[in-house]
Amino acid sequence: MEQCIEHSVLPSEDGKVPVHKLMLLGSSNVGKSSITLRFVRDEFRDCVPTTGCDFFSKRICLYGKNLDFEIWDTAGQEIYHSVCHLYYRGTSAAMLVYDTTHQESFFRAQLWLQELQKYFSPEELVIALIGNKSDLQEERKVSQEDGKTFADKNKLLFVETSAQTGVGVQESFEAIARELMILELQKRERKHRLDRTVTMFGAHRPRQKMKCCTS
């Protein structure tokens, strides 16, 4: 798969680095902000709950291609759930984050998926299910198998991460970037085929006979 992408992904049509909006959704205290800080700054700290939405940006290089993420870290508190859809416009990808030591957060991630499905069709959005705090094995309440089973059933990417140790964080963003590259390539190939079809149809279209004018 990697070799195929490396040789197939095309530069953007205007030569600019593609920019993709990525939203992090999930319950409060699952570690969305910690995951973001680990990815953007490679640091860990316990974060206070996000109010509304925090914004970050980070360039990622994959297979020699650059891609810019605009990362929207949304609040997990219930009182903000009803307004999160206001941030959806222009979104290319989403991380549904849950805490592997907290069963309820896993159920909430599934509800977030249902929410996204109201606003996006499957081909519009890359979605990853992220099980955070995987380093706390003794406190685990959600098995890796349960997470993977749900992700496979709903055709989601699945990665377990630890924002504290950094395990899986970079890989989760790279997995999303890889899927975005694939979708962009498929989109451009479809457009190319459509343009060729239109061109061929126009070339073989029979000419209309011109009517002669009589006096």
Side-chain angles (χ1 to χ4, degrees):
M1 176 65 73
E2 293 185 358
Q3 184 178 4
C4 177
I5 299 172
E6 183 175 5
H7 292 289
S8 299
V9 172
L10 303 175
S12 60
E13 294 181 353
D14 56 7
K16 296 180 180 179
V17 175
V19 179
H20 291 281
K21 180 177 176 180
L22 167 62
M23 293 192 65
L24 276 76
L25 302 168
S27 301
S28 183
N29 297 319
V30 297
K32 299 187 299 297
S33 298
S34 296
I35 288 174
T36 303
L37 286 175
R38 174 61 74 180
F39 174 63
V40 173
R41 302 175 186 167
D42 194 23
E43 65 182 41
F44 173 79
R45 67 170 182 261
D46 290 324
C47 301
V48 297
T50 301
T51 301
C53 187
D54 287 338
F55 175 82
F56 302 85
S57 62
K58 178 69 181 288
R59 175 165 296 181
I60 187 170
C61 182
L62 195 62
Y63 308 116
K65 309 295 181 182
N66 288 325
L67 180 149
D68 286 345
F69 275 127
E70 291 183 348
I71 304 169
W72 295 58
D73 175 20
T74 64
Q77 299 96 313
E78 186 68 27
I79 58 173
Y80 295 109
H81 191 154
S82 61
V83 298
C84 276
H85 70 277
L86 300 176
Y87 303 121
Y88 289 171
R89 178 175 294 181
T91 300
S92 301
M95 280 186 172
L96 306 180
V97 185
Y98 68 92
D99 178 350
T100 60
T101 71
H102 196 266
Q103 185 76 44
E104 180 63 25
S105 70
F106 182 55
F107 296 144
R108 292 287 299 167
Q110 298 176 40
L111 294 177
W112 277 112
L113 176 61
Q114 295 177 20
E115 173 80 4
L116 289 176
Q117 290 171 337
K118 296 178 183 177
Y119 294 91
F120 299 93
S121 59
E123 65 274 8
E124 287 182 297
L125 197 66
V126 173
I127 305 177
L129 180 67
I130 306 297
N132 192 38
K133 304 185 184 180
S134 61
D135 55 300
L136 304 178
Q137 288 296 327
E138 295 182 357
E139 302 175 39
R140 181 185 282 270
K141 296 294 190 297
V142 183
S143 69
Q144 187 178 57
E145 182 181 358
D146 286 344
K148 189 175 187 308
T149 297
F150 178 78
D152 289 346
K153 179 181 178 182
N154 292 277
K155 299 181 180 179
L156 312 178
L157 298 172
F158 175 68
V159 183
E160 283 199 340
T161 64
S162 168
Q164 185 167 15
T165 66
V167 170
V169 174
Q170 182 73 20
E171 290 81 356
S172 63
F173 285 90
E174 287 181 355
I176 291 174
R178 183 164 50 246
E179 288 301 310
L180 288 170
M181 287 179 173
I182 293 172
L183 287 180
E184 180 63 21
L185 179 63
Q186 292 173 342
K187 178 181 177 181
R188 293 178 64 179
E189 287 179 341
R190 286 195 299 268
K191 182 178 183 299
H192 180 65
R193 287 196 298 267
L194 179 60
D195 290 344
R196 286 189 60 188
T197 300
V198 171
T199 301
M200 291 176 63
F201 176 77
H204 292 87
R205 187 175 179 179
R207 297 181 179 180
Q208 293 184 348
K209 292 183 179 181
M210 297 183 63
K211 296 182 179 179
C212 295
C213 298
T214 57
S215 55

